[in-house]
Amino acid sequence: MNRRIVGAFATVVLGAGLIAGIGTYVSAAKADTTILDATPAGTLETPQGTLKHFTMDLSIYPDSFFKTSSPHPDWVSYGPSTNFRVPAHSAITFTMKQYDSGEPITNDFFARVAGTMNGTINIDGKDVTKVDANTIGHTFTVRGLSNGKSNLFINVPMPMVPEDKMSENEGEYINPTIVKFTIITGDAGEYVWNCEFPCGDGTLARFGGPMSSQGFMSGHFIVTDN
Amino acid sequence: MTTTMDRTASAGHSAKSPLIEKLNVFTAFGLGIILAVVFYVLAAKLIPEDTDAMLIHTKHDQIILLAMIGWFIGFMVGIGALIGPFRWLLGKDLSHDENMFYAGKDLGTKRYFRYTTDHKVVGIQYLVTTMIIFGVGGILAMLIRTNLGNPEGGWIHPQAYNAIVGIHGIIMIVGTIIMITGPFGNFVMPIMIGARDMAFPRLNALSFWLIVAAIPPILSSFFLGGIMTGWTAYEPLASESPAGMDGYIMFICIFAISTMVAGANITATVVRMRARGMTWNRTPIFIYGVVASVALALPAFPVFFLSQIMSAFDRAMGTTFYNPAGGGSGWLYENLFWLMGHPEVYVILLPAIGALMEMAPVFTRRPLFSFNVAVMGIAGICGLSALVWAHHMYMSGWAPLLNGPFMLTTELISIPTGMLFLVLVGTLWRGRLWLTVPMASIYALLWNFMIGGITGIYLSDVPADGALHGTMFVTAHFHYTLMGAGLTGAVASLSYWFPKMTGRMLDRRLSWVSFWMVQIGFNVAFIGMFLVGLAGQPRRVESYNAMFNRGNMVTTAGAYVIMTGMLILLFAVVDSWRNGIKASDNPWFAKTLEWSVPTPVPLENFATLPVVTTDAYGYGKAKS
Amino acid sequence: MSQTQTQDKAPWWKRKDVKETATLWVILSVLIGGLAGEVIARSMGAPASETMENTIRMMKIFTWVSAPVAGLVGAIALKSLMQKRHYGDTPPAESDHEIANSPKASAVWIVTSGLLCLFALVFGMIVMQEDAKSLQAPNAIHVNVTGQQWLWNFDYPDNAGVRSHDLYLPVDRPVIFNVSAKDVKHSFWIVQMGVKVDANPGYITQTAVTPNKIGVFDVRCAELCGLLHAYMQSQVHVVSQADYDAWIKSQGGRA
Ligand code: HEM
Ligand SMILES: [Cu+2]
Ligand SMILES: [Cu+2]
Ligand SMILES: [Cu+2]
């Protein structure tokens, strides 16, 4: 009798412990656990008044040799992280260094700029509202759950670098296209971003590989209150 | 065949092949791993590199698939499955002694780890394997529910989450397919029909070891990038998935072979080997459930097999069966999948209902109400379930004009399903209820399957499916049928046949505690899931809008209660198996043949084969 | 025993346990129909189209139609449970008056379930026809829906060049959606309007609806489509015809 109660109890505890252990392992086993925080940069005049200003610098690489240990060194990747944290109700200026080549995009909707301040982005010094759909390198496309909170949608297409201006050497990155834009964040929440240019070569619809795996062409975009 | 062997002729130990005695599960794993590595290394060396001109890179998938084929061959050779066929090639057969060895004549523990042909050993092997599969699936389920405890998810990364959802789904489906026909269909069924073994004992062992061979590929999937398709492995998403998909494909292919082998074997056994006098209307209803199930699986699983072979070709050979860029279509896959998928749900359900219908007379002490209606119901379900598959595709856009006809066939299936309800409540009506866990399980089935069935009718209605397809409502519907009805029947079968299989009673108090925890937890969890589904939460999502938070919390809480109940059951099974109260030969005072043989059941079941003169439900005196 | 015998002589519908079961049946049926119907209607929220209104009404009616079946099963099961229970290690004594078969009961059961099926089928067909009306409406506007991992985008072919991430629709005008996908299968679903159709790469599928409420609603992807499937959502803004024209103009259309 007693043995049975103790035994049943122990089984439950052991079982729950096993599940907790596996859960902890799985939740920690993320290919990219880093989160990049926006850097404070004073205030900025925006159409919505004066807002706190932050900056964030990102790069898009044609391979992932820049990572110390990438399971797929030949996959394209964002860097230095694929998870970003920015403050709510602020202006964030992104500077993207795009090092990769490109091709025509499958859906030219994503060649148009959306959701940035003034509806423009700045490419190598020029303000534009769209990019030639035949020469896209990657896009930076952010959205969240449609849940009545501010419905964030950002799409920033980034032109390609011509093949002949890229380095022959793996892990060496030169001549980026520099894309600058500012967004104004809404309420805090969990959003996600991914690249809408199909850059998973050799996979169906070129959306497998780096496009569908954690830590390369997608990630979390966290808007926080503090 | 062991069935025709003379039980006394075991004297000579002369020409025994030592090889046969050396092979077991360890040599199987060893050889399997070795061959997998060899195939992997060779393939990586010999297969040409992908070129930039190729739209789909195939080398990696070829390597992985070949390594898994290597594993499969190594495992089957290592377990000794090929010894018989090899002998035939040489124009010989196994000697009598070898056959006896295969049958597990030594009665030792070791025969559970070998290629043993005795159906009772195979039954126990299936039972333990099923429990392990449910254990793994259950752990994954708890990870899913824990992640969904919080609307924004994020505890588990979406990629891992998708892998967990998909692998939870498919291994639970496989678990439920084998949970009754495996353990009880093998252990109990031959005795129940008065046979000494299955029709093809070696195929029986083969079907079991194929399942063991299938499991490592699906588990390896976690380490190959996972699958991102859910259990249905829809194309073309499956072609886009990482190499984990190859694990899924291999798993299904091997499992499908196992199911076909088992199906042919069980059907042949029941058709050919029933005891003298066991006419079709004296054959117990459980047998009908099992045979109907495997008979449905027989045409269904080759289709599944084929659909996966084509997936494998798309991934590893660059064909475009399903890739629209090359003229293929995902609808082809959907049709093939559900051609298997709908019959498969009844493959799961029928043995469970059959088992509970078998228990109903025992625990009400009265005849089964309307045996003929029960048989008609089972037959009707079998017939119709081959004609309803596209109700899973109402919203796919494949053939909107066929939605009407498929709505017709789908709704018709509720008629034979209703017949099974009639049989059960008819048996309960004015019965004297002997309240045991199997009896309570009949009530649980009535409750859960009523909810599962009625929600099925909403789903079968095309306009309602427009709101409900692809939501948590569907998930809740099929958990009510698969778990609420199916698994409940399997757990009841376990407590019912436990005394015959192990010689001991399953601990009564613990199994009651477990029963209530599982049933209450289950209903809390899945009613919560119905509500969020109705409110519009999609299935298979890693995070969801805050409005669904409350329902998901309820579901997660229910899931923890289920987990606790299941762990208690696990302890009860292990503990009772070792220390339980010794059971008499016929603890339930039942009238089917399996209770007429001594426990432990002797090697060839019956000393003299029984002759059957009545059905097994002669409780009380029937008036009409 | 003697009580059963006297009961046996009375016509079956006068027997005590039959009457009690019948009472239970009525109570359970009303409970199930009322409760389940209400829960379903409430959970499904406020409809934003006639299609959704039809669906909710139909689910309520189906609930009421199946309630007597569920109620009867429940009543018999409960009645048996309340009557003669037995616990212990040995079975109860066997009863000697039970029926093993009743062709009459079986026939009634089967015919009734057949009729219920027929009802569900005919009713479903009628509603299906009604919902399909928007698809044939001559004044319908068209929207081309594209699913791509893991976003929706919308083109308004009546106004070439107008495109959006959130969907804009005028109220009370039928809309025909031409749905397709760029990569894998998705499912285009407007939650509060109760319409859904898969977006297939390489094919165009159609569905149609007439929104009848002004407000903001949800589009969600209803077919697992990979990594960020959970986030594949957009908003639907249903606005007055005037506001819609203004929006089209602001996007560069001619309205
Ligand atoms: C009266 C009987 C039943 C009817 C009318 C019915 C109807 C349906 C319909 C129409 C669907 C498709 C829903 C959708 O995806 O939109 C469905 C899904 C499903 N049903 Fe049933 N069903 C019945 C009984 C069962 C039983 C007995 C089982 C299993 C034992 C079962 C298992 C499933 C499963 C597994 C799915 C979902 C598959 C998936 O999409 O993953 N159903 N059912
Ligand atoms: Cu990219
Ligand atoms: Cu089905
Ligand atoms: Cu999608």
Side-chain angles (χ1 to χ4, degrees):
Chain A
M1 178 65 211
N2 260 338
R3 200 197 74 247
R4 269 185 305 173
I5 292 176
V6 172
F9 191 73
T11 313
V12 172
V13 171
L14 279 178
L18 179 69
I19 291 167
I22 295 179
T24 315
Y25 170 77
V26 173
S27 87
K30 291 178 179 152
D32 186 2
T33 48
T34 58
I35 300 178
L36 187 66
D37 278 295
T39 322
T43 58
L44 188 74
E45 288 302 317
T46 72
Q48 297 179 16
T50 312
L51 293 178
K52 277 195 266 174
H53 188 216
F54 295 82
T55 61
M56 186 167 265
D57 296 341
L58 301 173
S59 303
I60 300 117
Y61 301 106
D63 55 49
S64 15
F65 283 100
F66 71 93
K67 298 184 184 177
T68 39
S69 65
S70 172
H72 303 282
D74 53 339
W75 282 4
V76 292
S77 181
Y78 270 64
S81 171
T82 55
N83 300 307
F84 315 124
R85 185 159 45 209
V86 300
H89 305 290
S90 318
I92 326 284
T93 299
F94 285 82
T95 307
M96 307 275 206
K97 290 191 183 135
Q98 203 294 98
Y99 292 99
D100 199 7
S101 61
E103 267 174 50
I105 196 167
T106 39
N107 185 353
D108 56 9
F109 180 75
F110 296 103
R112 313 186 342 158
V113 175
T116 62
M117 197 169 83
N118 305 323
T120 59
I121 58 173
N122 182 293
I123 298 172
D124 292 335
K126 263 182 296 177
D127 282 348
V128 299
T129 58
K130 60 174 183 242
V131 170
D132 179 3
N134 292 317
T135 58
I136 306 265
H138 295 272
T139 81
F140 180 67
T141 310
V142 184
R143 69 353 196 111
L145 300 166
S146 139
N147 57 3
K149 288 201 234 167
S150 56
N151 186 30
L152 193 64
F153 174 63
I154 303 166
N155 182 57
V156 176
M158 287 172 272
M160 66 180 208
V161 176
E163 224 45 76
D164 53 10
K165 287 174 77 182
M166 288 172 65
S167 165
E168 301 271 286
N169 303 328
E170 285 168 339
E172 186 185 60
Y173 311 114
I174 52 171
N175 300 327
T177 311
I178 294 179
V179 180
K180 268 192 184 173
F181 58 92
T182 303
I183 61 162
I184 295 168
T185 53
D187 291 337
E190 276 267 334
Y191 301 85
V192 290
W193 70 271
N194 68 292
C195 168
E196 286 295 343
F197 177 81
C199 51
D201 286 357
T203 62
L204 182 118
R206 295 165 69 201
F207 240 89
M211 300 298 283
S212 290
S213 303
Q214 44 176 315
F216 294 88
M217 279 285 141
S218 60
H220 284 274
F221 189 87
I222 305 154
V223 180
T224 57
D225 269 327
N226 35 34
Chain B
M1 272 195 308
T2 46
T3 46
T4 57
M5 260 174 337
D6 185 350
R7 311 176 76 236
T8 52
S10 57
H13 280 262
S14 49
K16 208 181 280 175
S17 148
L19 183 62
I20 265 192
E21 289 184 26
K22 289 211 179 90
L23 297 180
N24 55 36
V25 64
F26 302 106
T27 54
F29 268 86
L31 200 58
I33 290 168
I34 291 171
L35 272 199
V37 173
V38 170
F39 275 50
Y40 184 95
V41 172
L42 284 181
K45 270 227 176 83
L46 300 179
I47 295 174
E49 290 297 327
D50 296 317
T51 61
D52 281 346
M54 294 165 70
L55 280 182
I56 304 278
H57 289 177
T58 52
K59 175 165 180 178
H60 188 54
D61 293 298
Q62 289 175 1
I63 298 174
I64 298 292
L65 280 170
L66 282 171
M68 287 181 183
I69 291 171
W71 150 263
F72 178 49
I73 297 174
F75 185 90
M76 294 322 288
V77 170
I79 196 71
L82 299 184
I83 289 186
F86 190 70
R87 288 285 177 82
W88 296 336
L89 273 186
L90 300 180
K92 288 187 267 182
D93 199 358
L94 298 183
S95 70
H96 176 253
D97 280 345
E98 284 167 337
N99 264 326
M100 287 310 275
F101 179 79
Y102 257 175
K105 189 180 170 306
D106 56 2
L107 297 181
T109 330
K110 278 192 183 158
R111 70 201 157 124
Y112 292 103
F113 300 93
R114 287 198 316 250
Y115 197 77
T116 304
T117 57
D118 182 1
H119 70 96
K120 300 180 285 297
V121 173
V122 176
I124 299 287
Q125 288 170 328
Y126 261 112
L127 178 62
V128 173
T129 308
T130 308
M131 284 169 56
I132 292 172
I133 290 177
F134 282 147
V136 176
I139 291 172
L140 299 178
M142 295 319 295
L143 298 185
I144 295 171
R145 278 324 313 173
T146 307
N147 193 64
L148 293 183
N150 159 18
E152 289 183 335
W155 184 54
I156 295 175
H157 188 277
Q159 190 186 359
Y161 181 84
N162 283 346
I164 289 170
V165 167
I167 294 173
H168 159 75
I170 193 64
I171 74 169
M172 283 302 209
I173 288 283
V174 164
T176 50
I177 288 173
I178 63 173
M179 71 187 168
I180 293 188
T181 35
F184 313 110
N186 276 301
F187 193 108
V188 177
M189 185 273 285
I191 320 181
M192 211 177 204
I193 61 172
R196 287 213 164 111
D197 202 334
M198 299 287 268
F200 305 106
R202 279 188 233 162
L203 287 191
N204 206 18
L206 180 66
S207 75
F208 169 73
W209 287 106
L210 282 168
I211 285 179
V212 180
I215 292 171
I218 190 71
L219 294 183
S220 75
S221 176
F222 278 118
F223 305 94
L224 295 169
I227 63 177
M228 53 192 189
T229 57
W231 77 280
T232 47
Y234 266 21
E235 291 282 4
L237 185 60
S239 295
E240 196 184 281
S241 281
M245 202 66 223
D246 299 322
Y248 176 99
I249 289 170
M250 207 58 204
F251 176 61
I252 295 305
C253 288
I254 304 176
F255 176 68
I257 304 174
S258 159
T259 310
M260 294 179 240
V261 169
N265 196 4
I266 289 176
T267 313
T269 308
V270 172
V271 172
R272 298 293 308 152
M273 297 180 61
R274 296 193 316 284
R276 261 203 300 154
M278 186 177 279
T279 55
W280 282 115
N281 50 17
R282 291 179 196 154
T283 305
I285 197 70
F286 175 63
I287 305 294
Y288 279 89
V290 169
V291 171
S293 162
V294 297
L296 267 180
L298 267 180
F301 277 81
V303 181
F304 200 9
F305 182 85
L306 188 74
S307 72
Q308 297 307 313
I309 294 286
M310 286 153 75
S311 275
F313 272 49
D314 273 12
R315 294 178 61 85
M317 316 286 267
T319 57
T320 56
F321 289 112
Y322 306 127
N323 184 348
S329 162
W331 285 322
L332 171 61
Y333 181 85
E334 282 181 69
N335 274 298
L336 293 176
F337 184 86
W338 291 115
L339 222 48
M340 172 290 302
H342 191 87
E344 172 249 54
V345 305
Y346 282 99
V347 168
I348 294 167
L349 188 77
L350 287 176
I353 291 214
L356 287 173
M357 288 198 294
E358 191 64 50
M359 291 171 225
V362 177
F363 295 102
T364 56
R365 306 318 284 182
R366 48 157 305 170
L368 186 70
F369 180 80
S370 250
F371 182 84
N372 292 341
V373 171
V375 174
M376 270 161 56
I378 291 175
I381 286 176
C382 277
L384 280 173
S385 67
L387 302 173
V388 299
W389 77 92
H391 65 213
H392 298 269
M393 299 171 63
Y394 286 151
M395 298 299 141
S396 74
W398 166 59
L401 286 178
L402 290 182
N403 282 356
F406 277 106
M407 184 155 102
L408 168 70
T409 53
T410 304
E411 282 171 359
L412 282 182
I413 228 174
S414 55
I415 299 175
T417 309
M419 293 184 191
L420 303 184
F421 274 99
L422 176 70
V423 171
L424 282 172
V425 291
T427 312
L428 292 180
W429 177 237
R430 292 192 188 141
R432 252 173 237 269
L433 305 194
W434 183 10
L435 271 170
T436 55
V437 168
M439 182 75 245
S441 300
I442 293 173
Y443 275 85
L445 172 104
L446 289 175
W447 170 271
N448 293 335
F449 193 39
M450 185 58 82
I451 296 176
I454 290 178
T455 51
I457 295 180
Y458 300 135
L459 290 173
S460 64
D461 183 79
V462 177
D465 199 45
L468 301 175
H469 171 72
T471 68
M472 283 300 209
F473 189 90
V474 175
T475 314
H477 155 71
F478 69 73
H479 278 86
Y480 260 93
T481 51
L482 295 172
M483 186 173 175
L487 190 62
T488 297
V491 173
S493 306
L494 182 62
S495 26
Y496 181 63
W497 280 303
F498 197 79
K500 187 51 66 184
M501 294 172 77
T502 67
R504 294 170 191 270
M505 303 298 287
L506 187 59
D507 189 286
R508 194 195 307 162
R509 191 161 292 155
L510 287 180
S511 38
W512 272 115
V513 171
S514 160
F515 173 84
W516 281 112
M517 293 193 86
V518 170
Q519 295 299 337
I520 292 173
F522 171 78
N523 276 280
V524 168
F526 289 94
I527 286 190
M529 196 179 278
F530 273 131
L531 298 185
V532 294
L534 286 166
Q537 184 186 337
R539 296 169 68 178
R540 301 158 158 175
V541 290
E542 172 265 344
S543 52
Y544 50 84
N545 303 27
M547 64 180 285
F548 304 122
N549 198 4
R550 205 180 334 145
N552 278 279
M553 290 293 283
V554 168
T555 303
T556 298
Y560 277 95
V561 180
I562 302 176
M563 174 195 81
T564 312
M566 285 295 182
L567 286 168
I568 291 175
L569 180 68
L570 174 67
F571 173 76
V573 169
V574 173
D575 186 53
S576 307
W577 204 322
R578 299 171 55 208
N579 316 313
I581 305 167
K582 285 244 159 46
S584 63
D585 287 348
N586 187 2
W588 312 116
F589 300 85
K591 304 196 172 180
T592 37
L593 285 174
E594 79 272 24
W595 303 107
S596 70
V597 299
T599 311
V601 185
L603 188 58
E604 290 183 343
N605 304 345
F606 299 94
T608 47
L609 283 177
V611 176
V612 176
T613 53
T614 62
D615 72 17
Y617 307 120
Y619 303 97
K621 272 186 236 121
K623 245 184 10 183
S624 56
Chain C
M1 266 312 110
S2 66
Q3 197 199 352
T4 357
Q5 271 155 13
T6 48
Q7 276 190 1
D8 268 357
K9 284 188 194 108
W12 62 270
W13 63 86
K14 282 199 177 152
R15 289 162 55 164
K16 191 157 149 282
D17 58 346
V18 174
K19 277 198 227 158
E20 283 169 2
T21 311
T23 319
L24 253 180
W25 179 17
V26 174
I27 296 173
L28 282 180
S29 305
V30 173
L31 260 180
I32 295 170
L35 213 71
E38 198 51 34
V39 167
I40 288 174
R42 276 171 192 240
S43 305
M44 292 184 83
S49 74
E50 206 183 310
T51 305
M52 190 64 170
E53 284 162 15
N54 286 342
T55 295
I56 295 178
R57 184 160 14 96
M58 188 162 55
M59 289 190 57
K60 264 185 138 167
I61 293 173
F62 274 23
T63 310
W64 274 111
V65 171
S66 20
V69 181
L72 181 58
V73 169
I76 299 179
L78 266 184
K79 182 71 196 136
S80 311
L81 191 64
M82 280 154 36
Q83 233 162 14
K84 314 169 203 158
R85 268 166 307 193
H86 173 90
Y87 298 87
D89 291 333
T90 49
E94 287 177 17
S95 33
D96 60 354
H97 62 281
E98 298 302 352
I99 34 176
N101 199 348
S102 165
K104 232 188 269 169
S106 308
V108 170
W109 181 275
I110 293 168
V111 170
T112 313
S113 53
L115 288 177
L116 291 180
C117 260
L118 195 68
F119 170 79
L121 179 75
V122 171
F123 196 42
M125 290 294 225
I126 291 173
V127 175
M128 226 163 103
Q129 288 313 310
E130 229 164 84
D131 291 350
K133 272 191 210 142
S134 303
L135 203 52
Q136 273 108 39
N139 66 333
I141 57 170
H142 281 254
V143 175
N144 294 349
V145 180
T146 308
Q148 168 166 357
Q149 285 171 319
W150 298 277
L151 283 162
W152 294 106
N153 68 276
F154 306 99
D155 291 63
Y156 303 76
D158 304 334
N159 290 281
V162 177
R163 315 181 75 177
S164 67
H165 163 66
D166 283 342
L167 179 58
Y168 285 80
L169 298 176
V171 73
D172 292 330
R173 271 282 283 285
V175 202
I176 296 176
F177 299 100
N178 307 304
V179 182
S180 189
K182 289 287 179 192
D183 33 44
V184 300
K185 229 175 248 287
H186 303 272
S187 194
F188 172 69
W189 173 31
I190 307 181
V191 179
Q192 293 82 352
M193 298 184 199
V195 289
K196 183 179 287 148
V197 72
D198 282 4
N200 291 275
Y203 299 88
I204 292 171
T205 52
Q206 280 193 322
T207 188
V209 73
T210 310
N212 64 3
K213 279 214 186 68
I214 289 183
V216 181
F217 307 104
D218 300 297
V219 171
R220 302 201 176 104
C221 176
E223 186 64 69
L224 178 55
C225 55
L227 194 64
L228 299 181
H229 161 62
Y231 293 88
M232 190 159 168
Q233 311 190 337
S234 287
Q235 289 186 343
V236 189
H237 299 263
V238 178
V239 295
S240 67
Q241 184 70 44
D243 288 351
Y244 178 72
D245 293 340
W247 179 78
I248 288 280
K249 217 175 254 161
S250 75
Q251 302 296 308
R254 36 189 172 75

